[in-house]
Amino acid sequence: MRPLEWTGGVRASDAERDQVAETLQAAAADGRLSPEEAGERLAAAGAARFRDELARLIADLPAGERRLLDAAPVGRAAFRLGLVFHVARFALVAALLVTLWGFSGARFFWPVWPLAFLAFGLLAHARRARWTRWRGPWWVTARR
């Protein structure tokens, strides 16, 4: 089943209506919706009582598709695979720098500085990967 089919019966909040309205306004600004259709959808978003009503308003827009792709198992796996490659690159560079330090004969462990910057980048990537497990906003996710 598609993630949008799981959201029926849950009431929409004002913040959710505002998010959908922003998506619709961006689509109208990009020329994806005519001004008349955008006005109709914005009016429907303001009057929507349930999440599934809001989800139908953005289901055919690219922003909605992108969010659905990010929530799909393939989208989440791609981000985790990127994290695995980031860890592998970090380990390879760390091994290279430590080897160079060993051959240089320096007393001070100078690779600590480039490794610290690389570690900060790796931690930021891991934090983003952990955030994606949060599974995003309601119109993206399916209940497991």
Side-chain angles (χ1 to χ4, degrees):
M1 294 186 110
R2 291 184 8 211
L4 295 177
E5 294 173 357
W6 288 83
T7 59
V10 178
R11 292 209 175 249
S13 70
D14 289 335
E16 292 165 345
R17 281 189 280 275
D18 291 342
Q19 288 174 342
V20 170
E22 288 174 10
T23 302
L24 291 171
Q25 289 170 348
D30 290 343
R32 297 186 190 281
L33 296 175
S34 66
E36 296 82 20
E37 186 179 7
E40 291 172 5
R41 289 188 186 199
L42 284 170
R49 292 176 51 186
F50 297 102
R51 286 180 172 177
D52 60 342
E53 296 170 14
L54 290 174
R56 280 191 294 257
L57 295 173
I58 61 169
D60 63 338
L61 298 175
E65 290 174 10
R66 176 67 185 163
R67 290 182 185 129
L68 289 175
L69 177 63
D70 289 343
V74 172
R76 288 193 302 267
F79 199 82
R80 283 187 292 242
L81 185 62
L83 180 62
V84 168
F85 283 130
H86 197 155
V87 169
R89 282 190 303 258
F90 176 80
L92 183 67
V93 170
L96 178 68
L97 289 176
V98 170
T99 302
L100 288 174
W101 170 75
F103 285 130
S104 72
R107 292 185 185 185
F108 177 70
F109 185 68
W110 56 264
V112 71
W113 301 113
L115 289 177
F117 286 107
L118 291 172
F120 285 133
L122 182 60
L123 289 174
H125 193 156
R127 187 168 183 181
R128 284 191 307 270
R130 188 171 170 209
W131 179 82
T132 58
R133 280 192 285 179
W134 167 69
R135 294 174 30 206
W138 57 268
W139 62 83
V140 178
T141 61
R143 296 181 187 166
R144 290 185 180 187

